[in-house]
Amino acid sequence: MTKRTALVTGGMGCLGEAIAKALHDAGNAVWVTYFPGHEEPEPWLDRLRNEGYELQAVGVDVSDYDSCRQCVDQLADKGVEIDILINNAGITRDASLGKMSKENWDAVLRTNLDSVFNMTGLLYGAMVKQGWGRVVSISSVNGSKGAYGQTNYSAAKAGIVGFTKALALEVARKGVTVNAVSPGYLDTPMVSQVPEDVLETQVLPQIPLGRLGKPSEIAALVAFICSEPAAFMTGSNVAMNGGQHMY
């Protein structure tokens, strides 16, 4: 089996870590990105190495095109060719539209959507040239159904789906598949910021399975999409949300 190399943006977050582990378990070499000046990779890498995961990290501001280009050039200088790209980096800046600042609109769109253009645009050409590649972008249930106070986040996540479908058409004959995954509410630090009473009375009652999702469950799906047996799967937006939104 050919050993592939994967890059997971936002890889030091809860979901990103789960995806990185799943891809590593599937036999891939795995790199993750971190935000220089905001995240320190070495303690995280040391912890993962103690668990048996030999991961590598590279710094980048995914919202900035020039930073992404420098990241890709840095990897190339190390002789690293990316076969699998997971666009996972994301933030929230929630507020109703009337109270949302332009700064918070821009921050979410740049980090959650522009990053997908930046990283994919810089990496997919080499995948096309070699005739094999996987691009998986993490959208959200709220990109499909919307959420109060998340016009920025929902717009960005919906944009990921459109980007995915369009690029999938462009590279379908080139051996590169392009897919999106739309998780529901997961048991992550981001969701833990939701007040417990809101979680119990408003969020969980909307989920037919009656619980939050596990990052490892999403990661297993992503690992499959990146595998050889998933080669006939492209242009898909796969919902994994406990039945909260069916489409």
Side-chain angles (χ1 to χ4, degrees):
M1 183 180 69
T2 302
K3 186 168 186 176
R4 310 291 185 179
T5 301
L7 177 65
V8 183
T9 69
M12 289 172 54
C14 190
L15 179 56
E17 178 179 317
I19 292 171
K21 286 179 174 180
L23 290 171
H24 182 276
D25 287 342
N28 303 290
V30 180
W31 287 73
V32 301
T33 72
Y34 67 94
F35 195 177
H38 296 259
E39 296 174 306
E40 293 295 332
E42 287 308 321
W44 183 86
L45 289 170
D46 288 344
R47 175 173 62 82
L48 270 291
R49 287 167 183 156
N50 287 335
E51 296 176 15
Y53 293 94
E54 292 295 328
L55 307 183
Q56 304 291 330
V58 60
V60 63
D61 176 359
V62 293
S63 70
D64 180 80
Y65 185 80
D66 289 337
S67 179
C68 292
R69 180 178 291 280
Q70 292 170 10
C71 170
V72 171
D73 288 345
Q74 183 180 347
L75 290 171
D77 289 343
K78 295 177 181 290
V80 177
E81 296 183 359
I82 301 301
D83 308 296
I84 298 167
L85 171 63
I86 312 298
N87 290 306
N88 168 72
I91 61 172
T92 57
R93 297 288 186 273
D94 294 353
S96 60
L97 185 61
K99 297 179 180 179
M100 184 176 294
S101 67
K102 181 67 163 59
E103 179 184 10
N104 283 343
W105 172 271
D106 289 344
V108 169
L109 268 292
R110 287 172 179 166
T111 301
N112 296 20
L113 183 57
D114 287 4
S115 63
V116 176
F117 167 82
N118 295 342
M119 295 303 296
T120 309
L122 289 166
L123 289 170
Y124 90 106
M127 299 179 191
V128 168
K129 186 175 181 180
Q130 72 178 4
W132 196 97
R134 299 284 188 267
V135 177
V136 181
S137 301
I138 305 301
S139 182
S140 168
V141 62
N142 291 342
S144 299
K145 73 179 220 28
Y148 186 93
Q150 286 198 329
T151 51
N152 50 4
Y153 185 82
S154 296
K157 293 301 187 178
I160 286 174
V161 176
F163 177 96
T164 293
K165 292 179 181 294
L167 183 59
L169 292 174
E170 294 181 18
V171 298
R173 300 291 182 92
K174 308 295 185 180
V176 179
T177 67
V178 188
N179 293 284
V181 172
S182 287
Y185 287 86
L186 305 180
D187 187 8
T188 65
M190 182 183 292
V191 174
S192 71
Q193 296 175 13
V194 177
E196 187 173 352
D197 63 321
V198 173
L199 195 65
E200 292 293 336
T201 63
Q202 298 182 34
V203 176
L204 292 179
Q206 297 180 35
I207 303 174
L209 287 185
R211 66 171 176 86
L212 299 175
K214 300 175 184 177
S216 60
E217 293 170 329
I218 305 299
L221 172 61
V222 172
F224 168 72
I225 295 172
C226 295
S227 70
E228 295 290 351
F232 197 55
M233 179 180 183
T234 197
S236 296
N237 176 32
V238 186
M240 197 171 192
N241 57 46
Q244 181 182 1
H245 185 55
M246 303 181 188
Y247 55 92

